[in-house]
Structures are given as C-alpha cells and as structure tokens.
Amino acid sequence: MLTEKMQTALNGQLNAELYSSYLYLSMSAYLKSLNLNGFANWMRIQAQEELVHVMKFYDYINERDGRVSLTAVAAPPNEWDSAAAAFAHVYEHEQKVTRLINQLVNLAISEKDHASNNFLQWFISEQVEEEASVNAVVQKLKLMGDAPGGLFIIDQELAARVFTPPPATGE
Ligand code: FEO
C-alpha cells in the first residue's frame, strides 16, 4: 500500500511524463513542418518512449493497490526558433525531469518506501541515458554550426532511430 503522499507524488510524475510526451510530439510536428523528417522521427520516438514511462507509473501505482488519478496536461509550445533550439529545450527539460525523479526518490526514502525507491531506480538510470542521448544531438548541432549540408547529414542520422516497444506488462 502506498502512503497518500507517495501516491500523490507518483500521480504527479505520471502527469509530468504525459506532458513530456505531449511536448515532444509538438516538437515533432514543428520539425516536420520544416521538412526535417529525421529530426521529426527522433522526436516522435521520444514522445512514444515517454508514453512507456507513463504506463510504468500507471502499472506501478495499481500494483501497489493505489489509485491512478489523471489530471489536465498543460499545452506545450508549438514553435521554436530552430531545430537546435528545440533540442536545447529537450536537454533542459530532461534535466528538469531528472530533478523530479530525484525528489521522488528522496520522498520514497523519507517515507521508508523501499519498493518505490526500487521502482524509481529504473528511472534514475533512464535519465542518465536520456540526458546523454539528447546532449549528443545538441553537441552535434553545435559542432555543425553553419556548415552547409550539416543539418541534412544529422537529419539522415536521426531518421534511423526506431522505437523498441517494452516487454508486455500489466493486465
Ligand atoms: Fe520520462 Fe524523458 O523522461
């Protein structure tokens, strides 16, 4: 059984993960409008991965005999100044998510909720990967600067990303 505090915080994170998905889908649409199909593909897969995170919280809350409660998801921005600006925003956003996950772990520890702490460790590792993968793109975009064709080359690289569905869980 989850404590009330833990349940509220986990539901809050479920909402934050939905927002992340919404944000990245909006970025995907923006990148698509620039005909950067590879960038748009990368971001669309990022949005799908966030939905996997959502369902992990959903399943975990249920597994602990808690109550999932869905709340309004804020509208994301629709426009950025450039692909580089959108990716810089992703990096900043993921750092914020890392802080939220760290706060959840702190709460699990203070509530002496070892199961939640254990569940959240997957997200601790995931955030390291997420920050690294988006930062790799941010750094490439910086290196490219105004080099002609640079955006096209990175776009082709990002087109190769594929979504790997997680193993089936839940009921
Ligand atoms: Fe769900 Fe991108 O962290």
Side-chain angles (χ1 to χ4, degrees):
M1 189 78 188
L2 293 166
T3 63
E4 198 65 36
K5 236 180 175 176
M6 200 71 229
Q7 176 171 293
T8 302
L10 290 167
N11 273 309
Q13 190 61 31
L14 187 156
N15 182 282
E17 301 288 343
L18 268 173
Y19 177 77
S20 295
S21 183
Y22 216 23
L23 175 65
Y24 298 154
L25 194 60
S26 183
M27 286 181 179
S28 183
Y30 163 73
L31 294 161
K32 188 89 185 148
S33 77
L34 301 181
N35 292 315
L36 291 169
N37 291 340
F39 281 89
N41 171 64
W42 191 97
M43 210 60 89
R44 182 183 172 129
I45 289 169
Q46 194 71 13
Q48 283 176 286
E49 290 205 344
E50 295 303 342
L51 291 179
V52 172
H53 299 174
V54 169
M55 294 317 293
K56 276 185 182 287
F57 280 97
Y58 179 94
D59 287 336
Y60 178 71
I61 294 167
N62 281 326
E63 232 177 355
R64 295 291 309 279
D65 201 22
R67 179 71 169 93
V68 168
S69 66
L70 301 177
T71 49
V73 182
N78 283 308
E79 295 286 341
W80 287 265
D81 290 338
S82 61
F87 272 77
H89 187 175
V90 178
Y91 188 43
E92 189 189 297
H93 184 71
E94 286 302 328
Q95 288 173 301
K96 186 177 154 195
V97 174
T98 298
R99 287 194 292 276
L100 292 175
I101 298 289
N102 286 341
Q103 282 168 15
L104 276 175
V105 172
N106 291 342
L107 179 64
I109 291 169
S110 72
E111 297 282 292
K112 298 185 171 56
D113 184 345
H114 300 285
S116 292
N117 186 2
N118 185 51
F119 163 74
L120 290 163
Q121 293 307 309
W122 183 90
F123 286 91
I124 294 281
S125 307
E126 177 72 2
Q127 285 308 119
V128 172
E129 270 181 41
E130 293 235 321
E131 283 192 31
S133 73
V134 70
N135 193 31
V137 182
V138 169
Q139 294 310 321
K140 267 185 200 172
L141 284 163
K142 268 190 195 159
L143 271 177
M144 180 198 79
D146 292 327
L151 209 54
F152 178 71
I153 292 166
I154 301 174
D155 192 60
Q156 283 194 317
E157 271 181 36
L158 300 184
R161 187 179 185 191
V162 290
F163 176 65
T164 312
T169 55
E171 287 132 48

mmCIF file of all heavy atoms in Angstrom, residues 32-68:
data_model
loop_
_atom_site.group_PDB
_atom_site.id
_atom_site.type_symbol
_atom_site.label_atom_id
_atom_site.label_comp_id
_atom_site.label_asym_id
_atom_site.label_seq_id
_atom_site.Cartn_x
_atom_site.Cartn_y
_atom_site.Cartn_z
ATOM 1 N N LYS A 32 8.665 18.534 -38.418
ATOM 2 C CA LYS A 32 8.036 18.042 -39.658
ATOM 3 C C LYS A 32 7.679 19.222 -40.556
ATOM 4 O O LYS A 32 7.836 19.158 -41.771
ATOM 5 C CB LYS A 32 6.780 17.248 -39.250
ATOM 6 C CG LYS A 32 6.105 16.524 -40.346
ATOM 7 C CD LYS A 32 6.655 15.119 -40.523
ATOM 8 C CE LYS A 32 6.020 14.454 -41.731
ATOM 9 N NZ LYS A 32 6.883 13.531 -42.420
ATOM 10 N N SER A 33 7.204 20.309 -39.932
ATOM 11 C CA SER A 33 6.827 21.485 -40.732
ATOM 12 C C SER A 33 8.036 22.128 -41.408
ATOM 13 O O SER A 33 7.909 22.883 -42.359
ATOM 14 C CB SER A 33 6.085 22.520 -39.861
ATOM 15 O OG SER A 33 7.015 23.222 -39.046
ATOM 16 N N LEU A 34 9.239 21.803 -40.892
ATOM 17 C CA LEU A 34 10.472 22.319 -41.518
ATOM 18 C C LEU A 34 11.029 21.320 -42.539
ATOM 19 O O LEU A 34 12.111 21.513 -43.068
ATOM 20 C CB LEU A 34 11.546 22.569 -40.448
ATOM 21 C CG LEU A 34 11.239 23.544 -39.314
ATOM 22 C CD1 LEU A 34 12.444 23.649 -38.380
ATOM 23 C CD2 LEU A 34 10.892 24.927 -39.866
ATOM 24 N N ASN A 35 10.285 20.226 -42.740
ATOM 25 C CA ASN A 35 10.739 19.135 -43.623
ATOM 26 C C ASN A 35 11.998 18.451 -43.110
ATOM 27 O O ASN A 35 12.744 17.849 -43.885
ATOM 28 C CB ASN A 35 10.944 19.619 -45.062
ATOM 29 C CG ASN A 35 9.620 19.989 -45.691
ATOM 30 O OD1 ASN A 35 8.634 19.247 -45.567
ATOM 31 N ND2 ASN A 35 9.569 21.147 -46.316
ATOM 32 N N LEU A 36 12.216 18.544 -41.801
ATOM 33 C CA LEU A 36 13.340 17.816 -41.190
ATOM 34 C C LEU A 36 12.779 16.478 -40.698
ATOM 35 O O LEU A 36 12.532 16.284 -39.506
ATOM 36 C CB LEU A 36 13.946 18.644 -40.049
ATOM 37 C CG LEU A 36 14.681 19.906 -40.487
ATOM 38 C CD1 LEU A 36 15.007 20.797 -39.299
ATOM 39 C CD2 LEU A 36 15.962 19.557 -41.251
ATOM 40 N N ASN A 37 12.559 15.582 -41.624
ATOM 41 C CA ASN A 37 11.838 14.342 -41.289
ATOM 42 C C ASN A 37 12.594 13.438 -40.328
ATOM 43 O O ASN A 37 11.981 12.731 -39.528
ATOM 44 C CB ASN A 37 11.484 13.580 -42.569
ATOM 45 C CG ASN A 37 10.438 14.323 -43.373
ATOM 46 O OD1 ASN A 37 9.725 15.176 -42.849
ATOM 47 N ND2 ASN A 37 10.356 14.034 -44.657
ATOM 48 N N GLY A 38 13.921 13.447 -40.398
ATOM 49 C CA GLY A 38 14.724 12.634 -39.475
ATOM 50 C C GLY A 38 14.633 13.179 -38.053
ATOM 51 O O GLY A 38 14.456 12.419 -37.087
ATOM 52 N N PHE A 39 14.736 14.489 -37.923
ATOM 53 C CA PHE A 39 14.599 15.129 -36.601
ATOM 54 C C PHE A 39 13.201 14.847 -36.046
ATOM 55 O O PHE A 39 13.029 14.555 -34.866
ATOM 56 C CB PHE A 39 14.798 16.647 -36.715
ATOM 57 C CG PHE A 39 16.230 17.082 -36.815
ATOM 58 C CD1 PHE A 39 16.868 17.196 -38.047
ATOM 59 C CD2 PHE A 39 16.962 17.394 -35.684
ATOM 60 C CE1 PHE A 39 18.187 17.596 -38.147
ATOM 61 C CE2 PHE A 39 18.291 17.808 -35.765
ATOM 62 C CZ PHE A 39 18.906 17.907 -37.011
ATOM 63 N N ALA A 40 12.212 14.964 -36.948
ATOM 64 C CA ALA A 40 10.817 14.731 -36.528
ATOM 65 C C ALA A 40 10.635 13.282 -36.080
ATOM 66 O O ALA A 40 9.936 13.015 -35.088
ATOM 67 C CB ALA A 40 9.868 15.063 -37.678
ATOM 68 N N ASN A 41 11.289 12.357 -36.772
ATOM 69 C CA ASN A 41 11.207 10.943 -36.406
ATOM 70 C C ASN A 41 11.802 10.705 -35.020
ATOM 71 O O ASN A 41 11.203 10.036 -34.175
ATOM 72 C CB ASN A 41 11.967 10.102 -37.447
ATOM 73 C CG ASN A 41 12.121 8.659 -37.014
ATOM 74 O OD1 ASN A 41 11.140 7.945 -36.878
ATOM 75 N ND2 ASN A 41 13.348 8.220 -36.769
ATOM 76 N N TRP A 42 12.964 11.282 -34.783
ATOM 77 C CA TRP A 42 13.648 11.130 -33.482
ATOM 78 C C TRP A 42 12.718 11.612 -32.365
ATOM 79 O O TRP A 42 12.537 10.954 -31.340
ATOM 80 C CB TRP A 42 14.948 11.932 -33.488
ATOM 81 C CG TRP A 42 15.868 11.656 -32.340
ATOM 82 C CD1 TRP A 42 16.942 10.817 -32.331
ATOM 83 C CD2 TRP A 42 15.811 12.236 -31.018
ATOM 84 N NE1 TRP A 42 17.545 10.821 -31.091
ATOM 85 C CE2 TRP A 42 16.876 11.677 -30.275
ATOM 86 C CE3 TRP A 42 14.957 13.154 -30.394
ATOM 87 C CZ2 TRP A 42 17.126 12.023 -28.935
ATOM 88 C CZ3 TRP A 42 15.198 13.491 -29.056
ATOM 89 C CH2 TRP A 42 16.264 12.926 -28.352
ATOM 90 N N MET A 43 12.093 12.751 -32.609
ATOM 91 C CA MET A 43 11.254 13.360 -31.569
ATOM 92 C C MET A 43 9.958 12.582 -31.369
ATOM 93 O O MET A 43 9.462 12.459 -30.245
ATOM 94 C CB MET A 43 10.954 14.806 -31.978
ATOM 95 C CG MET A 43 10.755 15.736 -30.837
ATOM 96 S SD MET A 43 12.173 15.884 -29.718
ATOM 97 C CE MET A 43 13.101 17.202 -30.474
ATOM 98 N N ARG A 44 9.431 12.035 -32.454
ATOM 99 C CA ARG A 44 8.208 11.232 -32.358
ATOM 100 C C ARG A 44 8.479 9.967 -31.523
ATOM 101 O O ARG A 44 7.655 9.572 -30.693
ATOM 102 C CB ARG A 44 7.762 10.850 -33.774
ATOM 103 C CG ARG A 44 6.495 10.061 -33.819
ATOM 104 C CD ARG A 44 6.191 9.670 -35.258
ATOM 105 N NE ARG A 44 5.071 8.758 -35.294
ATOM 106 C CZ ARG A 44 4.001 8.917 -36.063
ATOM 107 N NH1 ARG A 44 3.922 9.941 -36.874
ATOM 108 N NH2 ARG A 44 3.032 8.043 -36.027
ATOM 109 N N ILE A 45 9.649 9.379 -31.712
ATOM 110 C CA ILE A 45 10.009 8.185 -30.931
ATOM 111 C C ILE A 45 10.226 8.572 -29.470
ATOM 112 O O ILE A 45 9.831 7.856 -28.548
ATOM 113 C CB ILE A 45 11.231 7.481 -31.556
ATOM 114 C CG1 ILE A 45 10.785 6.843 -32.868
ATOM 115 C CG2 ILE A 45 11.826 6.443 -30.613
ATOM 116 C CD1 ILE A 45 11.877 6.325 -33.739
ATOM 117 N N GLN A 46 10.795 9.754 -29.274
ATOM 118 C CA GLN A 46 10.966 10.254 -27.902
ATOM 119 C C GLN A 46 9.596 10.381 -27.218
ATOM 120 O O GLN A 46 9.425 10.017 -26.061
ATOM 121 C CB GLN A 46 11.685 11.620 -27.965
ATOM 122 C CG GLN A 46 12.222 12.112 -26.650
ATOM 123 C CD GLN A 46 13.421 11.314 -26.146
ATOM 124 O OE1 GLN A 46 14.011 10.543 -26.866
ATOM 125 N NE2 GLN A 46 13.760 11.503 -24.886
ATOM 126 N N ALA A 47 8.622 10.881 -27.982
ATOM 127 C CA ALA A 47 7.249 11.020 -27.440
ATOM 128 C C ALA A 47 6.680 9.643 -27.089
ATOM 129 O O ALA A 47 6.025 9.474 -26.048
ATOM 130 C CB ALA A 47 6.351 11.725 -28.463
ATOM 131 N N GLN A 48 6.952 8.643 -27.929
ATOM 132 C CA GLN A 48 6.452 7.276 -27.655
ATOM 133 C C GLN A 48 7.119 6.713 -26.395
ATOM 134 O O GLN A 48 6.474 6.053 -25.589
ATOM 135 C CB GLN A 48 6.762 6.351 -28.839
ATOM 136 C CG GLN A 48 5.837 6.530 -30.023
ATOM 137 C CD GLN A 48 6.270 5.647 -31.180
ATOM 138 O OE1 GLN A 48 7.256 5.922 -31.850
ATOM 139 N NE2 GLN A 48 5.535 4.587 -31.426
ATOM 140 N N GLU A 49 8.410 6.988 -26.256
ATOM 141 C CA GLU A 49 9.117 6.482 -25.067
ATOM 142 C C GLU A 49 8.550 7.087 -23.790
ATOM 143 O O GLU A 49 8.483 6.438 -22.751
ATOM 144 C CB GLU A 49 10.619 6.761 -25.177
ATOM 145 C CG GLU A 49 11.227 5.894 -26.258
ATOM 146 C CD GLU A 49 12.705 5.628 -26.080
ATOM 147 O OE1 GLU A 49 13.352 6.351 -25.300
ATOM 148 O OE2 GLU A 49 13.193 4.689 -26.729
ATOM 149 N N GLU A 50 8.136 8.348 -23.883
ATOM 150 C CA GLU A 50 7.552 8.989 -22.695
ATOM 151 C C GLU A 50 6.239 8.308 -22.308
ATOM 152 O O GLU A 50 5.913 8.205 -21.129
ATOM 153 C CB GLU A 50 7.339 10.485 -22.933
ATOM 154 C CG GLU A 50 8.616 11.288 -23.130
ATOM 155 C CD GLU A 50 9.602 11.190 -21.989
ATOM 156 O OE1 GLU A 50 9.226 10.793 -20.868
ATOM 157 O OE2 GLU A 50 10.782 11.511 -22.208
ATOM 158 N N LEU A 51 5.510 7.825 -23.321
ATOM 159 C CA LEU A 51 4.268 7.113 -23.008
ATOM 160 C C LEU A 51 4.570 5.789 -22.309
ATOM 161 O O LEU A 51 3.780 5.332 -21.461
ATOM 162 C CB LEU A 51 3.435 6.871 -24.275
ATOM 163 C CG LEU A 51 2.824 8.124 -24.901
ATOM 164 C CD1 LEU A 51 2.034 7.765 -26.157
ATOM 165 C CD2 LEU A 51 1.899 8.861 -23.915
ATOM 166 N N VAL A 52 5.707 5.192 -22.637
ATOM 167 C CA VAL A 52 6.135 3.981 -21.925
ATOM 168 C C VAL A 52 6.384 4.337 -20.453
ATOM 169 O O VAL A 52 5.987 3.608 -19.543
ATOM 170 C CB VAL A 52 7.409 3.383 -22.579
ATOM 171 C CG1 VAL A 52 7.964 2.238 -21.737
ATOM 172 C CG2 VAL A 52 7.110 2.902 -23.997
ATOM 173 N N HIS A 53 6.997 5.496 -20.228
ATOM 174 C CA HIS A 53 7.237 5.934 -18.842
ATOM 175 C C HIS A 53 5.907 6.142 -18.114
ATOM 176 O O HIS A 53 5.747 5.769 -16.960
ATOM 177 C CB HIS A 53 8.050 7.240 -18.809
ATOM 178 C CG HIS A 53 9.409 7.099 -19.435
ATOM 179 N ND1 HIS A 53 10.253 8.165 -19.628
ATOM 180 C CD2 HIS A 53 10.079 6.005 -19.891
ATOM 181 C CE1 HIS A 53 11.375 7.724 -20.189
ATOM 182 N NE2 HIS A 53 11.285 6.428 -20.364
ATOM 183 N N VAL A 54 4.955 6.755 -18.824
ATOM 184 C CA VAL A 54 3.620 6.981 -18.235
ATOM 185 C C VAL A 54 3.051 5.659 -17.743
ATOM 186 O O VAL A 54 2.578 5.535 -16.606
ATOM 187 C CB VAL A 54 2.647 7.596 -19.282
ATOM 188 C CG1 VAL A 54 1.206 7.578 -18.781
ATOM 189 C CG2 VAL A 54 3.056 9.016 -19.645
ATOM 190 N N MET A 55 3.107 4.648 -18.620
ATOM 191 C CA MET A 55 2.486 3.362 -18.281
ATOM 192 C C MET A 55 3.224 2.631 -17.168
ATOM 193 O O MET A 55 2.625 1.858 -16.427
ATOM 194 C CB MET A 55 2.345 2.479 -19.535
ATOM 195 C CG MET A 55 1.381 3.036 -20.581
ATOM 196 S SD MET A 55 -0.175 3.715 -19.912
ATOM 197 C CE MET A 55 -0.955 2.223 -19.282
ATOM 198 N N LYS A 56 4.510 2.905 -17.043
ATOM 199 C CA LYS A 56 5.250 2.303 -15.919
ATOM 200 C C LYS A 56 4.694 2.856 -14.599
ATOM 201 O O LYS A 56 4.505 2.111 -13.652
ATOM 202 C CB LYS A 56 6.753 2.616 -16.025
ATOM 203 C CG LYS A 56 7.502 1.651 -16.927
ATOM 204 C CD LYS A 56 8.997 1.935 -16.906
ATOM 205 C CE LYS A 56 9.747 1.006 -17.843
ATOM 206 N NZ LYS A 56 9.849 -0.372 -17.354
ATOM 207 N N PHE A 57 4.451 4.155 -14.544
ATOM 208 C CA PHE A 57 3.872 4.740 -13.321
ATOM 209 C C PHE A 57 2.449 4.219 -13.108
ATOM 210 O O PHE A 57 2.067 3.880 -11.988
ATOM 211 C CB PHE A 57 3.912 6.281 -13.376
ATOM 212 C CG PHE A 57 5.270 6.824 -13.019
ATOM 213 C CD1 PHE A 57 6.180 7.159 -14.002
ATOM 214 C CD2 PHE A 57 5.653 6.943 -11.696
ATOM 215 C CE1 PHE A 57 7.454 7.613 -13.673
ATOM 216 C CE2 PHE A 57 6.922 7.398 -11.345
ATOM 217 C CZ PHE A 57 7.831 7.738 -12.342
ATOM 218 N N TYR A 58 1.700 4.151 -14.200
ATOM 219 C CA TYR A 58 0.318 3.667 -14.127
ATOM 220 C C TYR A 58 0.278 2.251 -13.531
ATOM 221 O O TYR A 58 -0.467 1.969 -12.589
ATOM 222 C CB TYR A 58 -0.272 3.691 -15.547
ATOM 223 C CG TYR A 58 -1.690 3.209 -15.665
ATOM 224 C CD1 TYR A 58 -2.752 4.101 -15.612
ATOM 225 C CD2 TYR A 58 -1.972 1.855 -15.848
ATOM 226 C CE1 TYR A 58 -4.058 3.649 -15.725
ATOM 227 C CE2 TYR A 58 -3.272 1.401 -15.954
ATOM 228 C CZ TYR A 58 -4.311 2.301 -15.893
ATOM 229 O OH TYR A 58 -5.601 1.857 -15.999
ATOM 230 N N ASP A 59 1.097 1.373 -14.095
ATOM 231 C CA ASP A 59 1.103 -0.020 -13.633
ATOM 232 C C ASP A 59 1.610 -0.136 -12.195
ATOM 233 O O ASP A 59 1.089 -0.921 -11.411
ATOM 234 C CB ASP A 59 1.967 -0.899 -14.557
ATOM 235 C CG ASP A 59 1.298 -1.149 -15.895
ATOM 236 O OD1 ASP A 59 0.052 -1.057 -15.969
ATOM 237 O OD2 ASP A 59 2.012 -1.432 -16.876
ATOM 238 N N TYR A 60 2.623 0.651 -11.885
ATOM 239 C CA TYR A 60 3.194 0.558 -10.536
ATOM 240 C C TYR A 60 2.181 1.017 -9.471
ATOM 241 O O TYR A 60 2.009 0.362 -8.439
ATOM 242 C CB TYR A 60 4.498 1.369 -10.441
ATOM 243 C CG TYR A 60 5.058 1.329 -9.049
ATOM 244 C CD1 TYR A 60 5.626 0.153 -8.546
ATOM 245 C CD2 TYR A 60 4.983 2.434 -8.195
ATOM 246 C CE1 TYR A 60 6.108 0.075 -7.243
ATOM 247 C CE2 TYR A 60 5.454 2.373 -6.899
ATOM 248 C CZ TYR A 60 6.018 1.200 -6.432
ATOM 249 O OH TYR A 60 6.483 1.129 -5.140
ATOM 250 N N ILE A 61 1.509 2.129 -9.735
ATOM 251 C CA ILE A 61 0.524 2.635 -8.756
ATOM 252 C C ILE A 61 -0.554 1.567 -8.531
ATOM 253 O O ILE A 61 -0.919 1.262 -7.394
ATOM 254 C CB ILE A 61 -0.097 3.980 -9.225
ATOM 255 C CG1 ILE A 61 0.972 5.080 -9.255
ATOM 256 C CG2 ILE A 61 -1.247 4.398 -8.316
ATOM 257 C CD1 ILE A 61 0.557 6.346 -9.997
ATOM 258 N N ASN A 62 -1.023 0.968 -9.622
ATOM 259 C CA ASN A 62 -2.045 -0.090 -9.494
ATOM 260 C C ASN A 62 -1.519 -1.310 -8.748
ATOM 261 O O ASN A 62 -2.227 -1.889 -7.915
ATOM 262 C CB ASN A 62 -2.550 -0.503 -10.877
ATOM 263 C CG ASN A 62 -3.552 0.495 -11.427
ATOM 264 O OD1 ASN A 62 -4.320 1.093 -10.671
ATOM 265 N ND2 ASN A 62 -3.533 0.706 -12.725
ATOM 266 N N GLU A 63 -0.293 -1.662 -9.063
ATOM 267 C CA GLU A 63 0.301 -2.848 -8.424
ATOM 268 C C GLU A 63 0.395 -2.687 -6.915
ATOM 269 O O GLU A 63 0.295 -3.661 -6.172
ATOM 270 C CB GLU A 63 1.722 -3.010 -8.975
ATOM 271 C CG GLU A 63 2.014 -4.369 -9.516
ATOM 272 C CD GLU A 63 3.419 -4.438 -10.123
ATOM 273 O OE1 GLU A 63 4.130 -3.415 -10.203
ATOM 274 O OE2 GLU A 63 3.800 -5.525 -10.489
ATOM 275 N N ARG A 64 0.582 -1.432 -6.493
ATOM 276 C CA ARG A 64 0.696 -1.170 -5.056
ATOM 277 C C ARG A 64 -0.673 -0.900 -4.426
ATOM 278 O O ARG A 64 -0.758 -0.352 -3.338
ATOM 279 C CB ARG A 64 1.638 0.017 -4.801
ATOM 280 C CG ARG A 64 3.087 -0.201 -5.200
ATOM 281 C CD ARG A 64 3.828 -1.207 -4.325
ATOM 282 N NE ARG A 64 3.709 -0.948 -2.894
ATOM 283 C CZ ARG A 64 4.437 -0.046 -2.222
ATOM 284 N NH1 ARG A 64 5.338 0.679 -2.845
ATOM 285 N NH2 ARG A 64 4.265 0.115 -0.931
ATOM 286 N N ASP A 65 -1.711 -1.245 -5.142
ATOM 287 C CA ASP A 65 -3.072 -1.040 -4.669
ATOM 288 C C ASP A 65 -3.394 0.436 -4.453
ATOM 289 O O ASP A 65 -4.180 0.796 -3.576
ATOM 290 C CB ASP A 65 -3.284 -1.833 -3.362
ATOM 291 C CG ASP A 65 -4.757 -2.095 -3.099
ATOM 292 O OD1 ASP A 65 -5.535 -2.058 -4.074
ATOM 293 O OD2 ASP A 65 -5.128 -2.315 -1.926
ATOM 294 N N GLY A 66 -2.748 1.266 -5.285
ATOM 295 C CA GLY A 66 -3.018 2.702 -5.209
ATOM 296 C C GLY A 66 -4.100 3.072 -6.208
ATOM 297 O O GLY A 66 -4.695 2.215 -6.859
ATOM 298 N N ARG A 67 -4.348 4.354 -6.316
ATOM 299 C CA ARG A 67 -5.390 4.844 -7.232
ATOM 300 C C ARG A 67 -4.751 5.834 -8.198
ATOM 301 O O ARG A 67 -4.241 6.887 -7.792
ATOM 302 C CB ARG A 67 -6.491 5.521 -6.404
ATOM 303 C CG ARG A 67 -7.615 6.102 -7.226
ATOM 304 C CD ARG A 67 -8.477 4.985 -7.831
ATOM 305 N NE ARG A 67 -9.709 5.528 -8.405
ATOM 306 C CZ ARG A 67 -9.834 5.888 -9.687
ATOM 307 N NH1 ARG A 67 -8.830 5.786 -10.526
ATOM 308 N NH2 ARG A 67 -11.007 6.362 -10.118
ATOM 309 N N VAL A 68 -4.806 5.458 -9.484
ATOM 310 C CA VAL A 68 -4.307 6.378 -10.511
ATOM 311 C C VAL A 68 -5.318 7.500 -10.653
ATOM 312 O O VAL A 68 -6.525 7.242 -10.745
ATOM 313 C CB VAL A 68 -4.151 5.642 -11.873
ATOM 314 C CG1 VAL A 68 -3.916 6.634 -13.008
ATOM 315 C CG2 VAL A 68 -3.017 4.619 -11.801
#
